[in-house]
Every structure is written in C-alpha cells, then in structure tokens.
Amino acid sequence: MAKRVYEVWKGSNKFILGGRLIFGPDARSLIVTLLLIIVPVVIFCVFVARHLRHAFSPHNAGYAVLVVAIVFTIYVLVLLFLTSARDPGVIPRNSHPPEEEFRYDTSMSAEIGGRQTPSLQFPRTKEVMVNGIPVRVKYCDTCMLYRPPRCSHCSICNNCVERFDHHCPWVGQCIGLRNYRYFFMFVSSSTLLCIYVFAMSALYIKILMDDYQSTVWRAMKESPASVILMAYCFISLWFVGGLTGFHLYLIGSNQTTYENFRYRADNRINVYNLGCVDNFLEVFCTKVKPSKNNFRAFVQEEVPRPILPSTREAEAEAGAGAEDLGGDPRTKVEDDLEIGEDLLKISQRRNIEEIDEDIRSRGSNGPPHNTSEMDSVLNSDHRAPTIRPDTRHSSWGRRSGSWEIAPEVLANSNVTESRSYVTPKEPRQ
C-alpha cells in the first residue's frame, strides 16, 4: 500500500488529522501556552467581569466587558493555531545532491585500481544576486540543497525553512515565511489582552473602593482574584509586550531574529530593507505563498537511476569491440568514484589539466607506457553518463605517438560561477 508524504517525512515534525496539520517536535508545549491564556481569562470572567455586568450605564452595558474578553481570547487562540499548525515554509529536501554542482579536484585524489584518480569535490557555498548585491548561500548536507537567501536549517524540526526567524517553543513550531505574520499578530494580540484584563481588574478594584468607601487594601481583600490577575498581567507584559516591541523593530528594518542575533556585530548591509513603510506592507499586505509540500500526497516511486557498468562488463564490451575490429582485446582500468548510496549516477570524467600534464610528461619520443591504460582513460567518457547537462565532445587525436587536447574542450573547461569548496588546495603538480 502506497504511503503518504507525511508518513515518510524525514523531519522531526508531528502530523495529525492525516497530515492536514503539522507541528514541531515540541508541540506539547502548546498545552502550557493554552493554559497560560485560558486559565487567567476564565478567572477574569468568573470573578471580575461577572460583577461588572451592571456597573455601567445603561444598566446592562457591563455585559460588553464579558463579551469582549471572550471574543478577544478566541481571536488569540485562532492566531495561535494558525501559527503552530501550518507549514512555516519548509523547503522539500532532495533525495540526491544537485549533480550539476560536482567538480573534480586533482589535489585530493584516491588510489583506485592501482593508480591515482581525481577525487570528487562539492562546493559548499555559492553566490546569488539579491537587489543587485551578491549574497552567499550555503549548501545544506541534510536537505541536500542550496538554501535560498534568508533560509536556515532548524536543528529542532530538522528542516530548512524559508525566511527563518526562530523556533518558538511556546507555539511548538518554527517561525518562517508562511506563519510570521500570524505569529506577530498572536504576540501583539496577547499583549492587548493582558492590558485589557489588567485594566478591567483595576477598574473593579476602583468600583469596590467607591461602593464600600474603603481604602485600596480593603478593596483588594474583597477581590483577591483581581489582585492576582493584575500581578499576572503585569509580569506577562514584560514578555509579550517586549517581544511585540522587538518584532516591530525587526519588521521596520526588514530583519529576522536569526539575522539580528547572528549578523548585528558584522555591520553588514541589509540588502532586504525596502524602507519602513514597504517593509510593513511586505509582511502584512502580501499574499501568503502556498506551501511547497503536499503532505497528503502519495509517495511516488523514484525512477531507478542508471548504474555504471561494472569493470568486467566494460572489459567484455571493449574486448568484443576489439575483436570486431580485428585487434587484440584490451583490459579496461576500473574508474568508479563512490561517494555514497545517494549518488548512483556519477560522472567519470577526468580533470583535463591532470591528463594533459600526464601526457606531456611522457613526451612524444618516450617509450610507451601501458597503452591499454591510456585507451581506458580516453574511452571513460563513453562508458558512463555525465552529470553535466552540456554534451561532451570527443577531442582526442593522435599525432606521432603523442596526445593533444582539442581547443574547444579547453574552452569549455572554464567555470564562470563562483564556488567555494570544503578544503581548497593548490593543484597537485
């Protein structure tokens, strides 16, 4: 039976309702958050708002205090749900690394089949242009992709998230491109709810003082719930209120929490800053992008990738070809570069500079050195598919016992895109 995407998801997320809702691995913290919101509101409605029903003119105007508290609380809970139960902007991970990015490094070689072969290197970073300014993006080994600008890998959810802000344990979810708006509205609405409960509780203390012609201490004894709510809201305001102010600053300067904490000491130019007004419009007035994941879709079987021919098969084919041409069969030299189970289709191309240097070192008048090995090198491009989209041209020609590289091949060997490798070294001489 075919499985759905959420059933084989490699991240640490938790899914409910058949993949319709996605949470972080710490989703249980939502229970604490719900209690911190619901319990104080229930106490307020029972011990404060209920006594304010007839405290305003006209006689039943006080019911608005109770209704506003209930409606406001429901609104905050809906925002909490939209923040924690939806895809924050997870980028689907690749099943294989981007093959077009592989390069050969002659300085790091491995001995295969009794001789040195160039090892496969992978660029760790590359540059992309953002608003005319180059921005370096990194390669994610876990998701096997180059992260888009402002994307980061969350170690808790084990996903790469677009416009990653932070992982919030209070909502049990990453805050990213698709839920940042709701997160800010949740925090700011919670701040307003705290202010509302604090103000109504203080008003009830004032009414008790007027009714009993007593001091504030006696009024506080008459309604200890009001005192507790006022203290609770005052402490909460330092957290949610401070968080609201901080994110107002981030939105106005078009930063994320991750960028602010990591790069604020670098004095970098913020290439994403569009101006205060446009920054707020970008967050609140743009359409939320659709999710890049369909967690309820059925997993499609991956098409098997072409497997490189084995050494014996290559030798048999070479021998058969030689017999057809009337020549002696020649033994092929094995040249497999294994870099993991995820890479089933790997190029077996040689580094042009290394081959050219090796050939020239032998000289046109020197004694022959293992002709079958040379033929194996020359025919390696015809035995295995390459990972580059461009077509390889046969550029080898024999002149008086020496081998030269055609000019068009040398012209195609230039790499124009900037790359950074894991361990850059000087080419092996």
Side-chain angles (χ1 to χ4, degrees):
M1 181 178 179
K3 294 185 177 180
R4 297 186 184 271
V5 173
Y6 77 91
E7 295 177 319
V8 297
W9 188 253
K10 295 182 179 181
S12 303
N13 304 91
K14 295 182 179 180
F15 299 87
I16 64 174
L17 298 180
R20 292 178 174 86
L21 302 179
I22 173 175
F23 296 89
D26 50 352
R28 290 184 178 180
S29 61
L30 272 174
I31 300 176
V32 178
T33 305
L34 290 173
L35 292 176
L36 291 175
I37 296 173
I38 296 175
V39 171
V41 173
V42 171
I43 295 175
F44 172 77
C45 293
V46 174
F47 297 99
V48 178
R50 183 170 62 90
H51 299 290
L52 295 175
R53 290 175 299 171
H54 308 294
F56 299 95
S57 179
H59 188 65
N60 294 325
Y63 279 99
V65 177
L66 185 61
V67 172
V68 170
I70 295 175
V71 173
F72 211 165
T73 302
I74 294 175
Y75 174 69
V76 171
L77 295 179
V78 169
L79 291 174
L80 174 61
F81 174 80
L82 293 175
T83 302
S84 60
R86 64 186 291 142
D87 179 4
V90 176
I91 299 179
R93 62 183 65 193
N94 293 329
S95 56
H96 304 279
E99 296 173 341
E100 67 274 6
E101 303 293 343
F102 289 125
R103 296 290 185 274
Y104 285 101
D105 184 12
T106 58
S107 62
M108 298 181 63
S109 56
E111 185 172 352
I112 300 178
R115 66 186 186 83
Q116 297 291 323
T117 60
S119 65
L120 196 62
Q121 292 295 297
F122 197 75
R124 309 305 302 169
T125 62
K126 68 178 181 179
E127 289 185 348
V128 297
M129 301 300 294
V130 178
N131 297 329
I133 300 177
V135 175
R136 187 178 66 177
V137 296
K138 297 181 180 180
Y139 177 78
C140 179
D141 293 297
T142 303
C143 299
M144 291 186 287
L145 52 83
Y146 283 98
R147 302 168 187 162
R150 314 193 84 176
C151 171
S152 182
H153 189 89
C154 176
S155 59
I156 299 176
C157 292
N158 196 24
N159 295 315
C160 279
V161 180
E162 288 186 281
R163 200 186 184 277
F164 177 77
D165 191 88
H166 69 288
H167 183 93
C168 181
W170 297 102
V171 302
Q173 182 63 282
C174 287
I175 308 302
L177 178 66
R178 301 188 67 251
N179 65 349
Y180 179 78
R181 176 187 306 176
Y182 301 107
F183 169 76
F184 175 79
M185 295 173 65
F186 163 70
V187 173
S188 58
S189 299
S190 299
T191 301
L192 295 177
L193 181 60
C194 287
I195 295 175
Y196 178 78
V197 173
F198 182 91
M200 292 297 105
S201 299
L203 178 62
Y204 183 53
I205 294 293
K206 178 66 169 58
I207 292 175
L208 289 177
M209 291 174 57
D210 295 339
D211 290 343
Y212 292 97
Q213 299 295 323
S214 60
T215 62
V216 63
W217 299 109
R218 182 173 179 180
M220 292 172 65
K221 291 180 180 179
E222 292 291 335
S223 179
S226 298
V227 179
I228 295 175
L229 288 173
M230 291 174 63
Y232 175 80
C233 292
F234 180 80
I235 296 173
S236 299
L237 279 174
W238 284 99
F239 293 96
V240 293
L243 196 59
T244 300
F246 176 66
H247 280 279
L248 282 173
Y249 160 73
L250 293 180
I251 295 173
S253 57
N254 206 332
Q255 299 182 66
T256 64
T257 302
Y258 179 81
E259 293 168 348
N260 181 266
F261 278 84
R262 182 165 184 175
Y263 302 125
R264 60 183 172 183
D266 297 344
N267 295 323
R268 294 189 178 188
I269 299 176
N270 187 359
V271 300
Y272 309 104
N273 192 355
L274 305 175
C276 185
V277 176
D278 290 334
N279 291 337
F280 273 90
L281 292 177
E282 182 182 38
V283 173
F284 296 105
C285 299
T286 56
K287 184 179 180 181
V288 178
K289 293 183 178 180
S291 174
K292 294 183 178 181
N293 302 279
N294 184 4
F295 298 108
R296 288 185 49 78
F298 289 99
V299 178
Q300 297 180 356
E301 295 184 1
E302 186 177 358
V303 179
R305 315 184 86 189
I307 302 177
L308 298 178
S310 63
T311 306
R312 294 183 179 180
E313 293 176 352
E315 292 176 355
E317 293 178 0
E323 292 176 357
D324 292 341
L325 295 176
D328 296 331
R330 299 178 178 181
T331 304
K332 294 284 185 180
V333 179
E334 181 181 7
D335 187 23
D336 294 332
L337 298 177
E338 299 178 352
I339 62 173
E341 296 179 354
D342 290 332
L343 301 178
L344 300 179
K345 187 175 95 175
I346 308 174
S347 171
Q348 291 184 316
R349 294 181 293 178
R350 295 297 189 281
N351 184 283
I352 295 177
E353 295 180 358
E354 183 183 11
I355 296 176
D356 185 32
E357 179 183 354
D358 182 71
I359 294 173
R360 293 182 186 276
S361 65
R362 298 185 181 187
S364 59
N365 297 325
H369 295 275
N370 197 348
T371 308
S372 62
E373 179 181 339
M374 178 61 67
D375 290 343
S376 172
V377 171
L378 299 180
N379 292 329
S380 62
D381 283 343
H382 301 284
R383 293 192 295 116
T386 63
I387 58 177
R388 298 291 296 175
D390 52 302
T391 306
R392 298 278 295 174
H393 299 282
S394 177
S395 59
W396 306 98
R398 190 165 189 172
R399 299 178 183 177
S400 303
S402 64
W403 298 89
E404 296 182 359
I405 303 175
E408 61 267 22
V409 175
L410 292 176
N412 291 335
S413 65
N414 295 327
V415 180
T416 59
E417 188 172 8
S418 175
R419 294 289 188 273
S420 299
Y421 294 85
V422 183
T423 54
K425 297 181 181 179
E426 294 294 328
R428 180 168 56 88
Q429 299 295 332

